[in-house]
């Protein structure tokens, strides 16, 4: 199943929405609280598929928690101003940036985190090109995985030319924040019956500093 556009728009504290399959544009735009989960669904062949969201997920979200298991279309987290967002889509194969058209293969399809002013984001896969344009607040934790060719150099290639952010190693506060958000994500996976997927997150929770870097506005 795929939820329509504007799922959970202007969501408030105490409301939790959980979708198995996917959702269209504008998930949780201008959220004021609560929790939105978009997770994979089991197909007729027994495979876990989907978990994707459309454009502008968490647009302008002030508070709340977003747990997205699949890929996100363009402008995920644009104008994010205080909410927490986990983007769980992962590459199906090692990155090959020499092919160009990075957005076509990325887990976020471009322009993520434009004009972000606050909040916390954990990205488990390829954040896509042109990220962080106009970002002035908050923090983005980007996965590092040499087996995927996903490292600090790849992240620098994905920064918008107008992005004014620094790439930093995680400090103790960052480690605690990543572990907290991934713990919530792991719990959602486990509750949905995806026990193997949940266990794979444990390695990241155990040592966030070994698997993530932080993007912070200068």
């Amino acid at each position: 199943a795929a939820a329509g556009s504007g799922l959970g728009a202007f969501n408030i504290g105490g409301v939790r929405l959980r979708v198995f399959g996917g959702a269209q544009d504008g998930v949780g735009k201008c959220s004021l609280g609560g929790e939105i989960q978009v997770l994979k669904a089991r197909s007729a062949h027994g495979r876990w598929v989907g978990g994707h969201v459309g454009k502008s997920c968490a647009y302008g979200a002030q508070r709340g928690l977003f747990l997205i298991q699949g890929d996100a279309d363009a402008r995920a987290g644009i104008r994010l101003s205080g909410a927490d967002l986990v983007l769980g889509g992962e590459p199906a194969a090692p990155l090959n940036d020499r092919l160009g058209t990075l957005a076509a293969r990325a887990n976020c399809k471009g322009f993520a985190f434009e004009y972000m002013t606050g909040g916390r984001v954990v990205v488990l896969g390829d954040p896509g090109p042109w990220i962080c344009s106009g970002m002035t607040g908050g923090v983005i934790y980007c996965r590092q995985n040499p087996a995927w060719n996903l490292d600090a150099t790849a992240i620098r290639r994905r920064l918008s030319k107008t992005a004014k952010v620094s790439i930093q190693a995680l400090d103790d506060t960052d480690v605690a924040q990543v572990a907290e958000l991934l713990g919530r994500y792991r719990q959602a996976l486990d509750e949905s019956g995806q026990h193997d997927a949940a266990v794979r997150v444990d390695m990241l929770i155990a040592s966030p500093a070994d698997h993530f870097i932080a993007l912070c506005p200068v």
Side-chain angles (χ1 to χ4, degrees), residues 122 124 140-146 150-152 167-180 182 201-214:
V122 176
L124 296 183
I140 301 161
Y141 300 109
C142 288
R143 176 87 166 269
Q144 300 287 275
N145 187 338
L150 185 59
D151 56 16
I167 298 177
Q168 304 173 6
L170 272 57
D171 61 20
D172 290 345
T173 298
D174 295 320
V175 166
Q177 294 193 125
V178 172
E180 174 198 343
L182 288 180
V201 180
D202 288 338
M203 172 186 69
L204 306 178
I205 295 174
S207 55
D210 294 332
H211 299 284
F212 293 89
I213 54 176

Side-chain angles (χ1 to χ4, degrees), residues 40-50 194:
K40 293 182 179 181
R42 193 184 288 275
S43 72
H45 301 290
R47 296 175 55 244
W48 291 95
V49 298
Q194 300 182 69

Side-chain angles (χ1 to χ4, degrees), residues 158-197:
R158 284 154 174 73
L159 290 173
S160 165
K161 292 181 179 180
T162 61
K164 296 180 179 179
V165 300
S166 63
I167 298 177
Q168 304 173 6
L170 272 57
D171 61 20
D172 290 345
T173 298
D174 295 320
V175 166
Q177 294 193 125
V178 172
E180 174 198 343
L181 293 174
L182 288 180
R184 300 289 297 273
Y185 181 60
R186 187 201 189 284
Q187 180 180 358
L189 296 178
D190 199 45
E191 290 177 351
S192 71
Q194 300 182 69
H195 306 302
D196 291 344

Side-chain angles (χ1 to χ4, degrees), residues 62-98:
Q62 299 178 38
R63 292 182 295 279
L65 175 65
F66 295 78
L67 303 175
I68 311 300
Q69 189 177 0
D71 292 348
D73 207 334
R75 290 186 161 84
I78 183 174
R79 297 191 184 279
L80 194 76
S81 59
D84 294 326
L85 173 61
V86 177
L87 295 170
E90 298 181 347
L95 308 186
N96 184 358
D97 289 354
R98 293 182 179 181

Side-chain angles (χ1 to χ4, degrees), residues 2 12 16 28 50 91 105 107 113 131 139 145 180-181 188 200:
I12 59 173
R16 184 176 74 171
R105 291 178 303 282
N107 300 110
F113 323 122
I131 61 174
V139 59
N145 187 338
E180 174 198 343
L181 293 174
R200 288 197 296 272

Side-chain angles (χ1 to χ4, degrees), residues 6-18 27-37 60-66 83 184:
L7 170 74
F10 307 101
N11 199 30
I12 59 173
V15 177
R16 184 176 74 171
L17 304 175
R18 177 181 287 169
V27 171
K29 62 182 180 181
C30 301
S31 171
L32 300 173
E35 182 176 341
I36 298 176
Q37 302 178 10
Q62 299 178 38
R63 292 182 295 279
L65 175 65
F66 295 78
R184 300 289 297 273

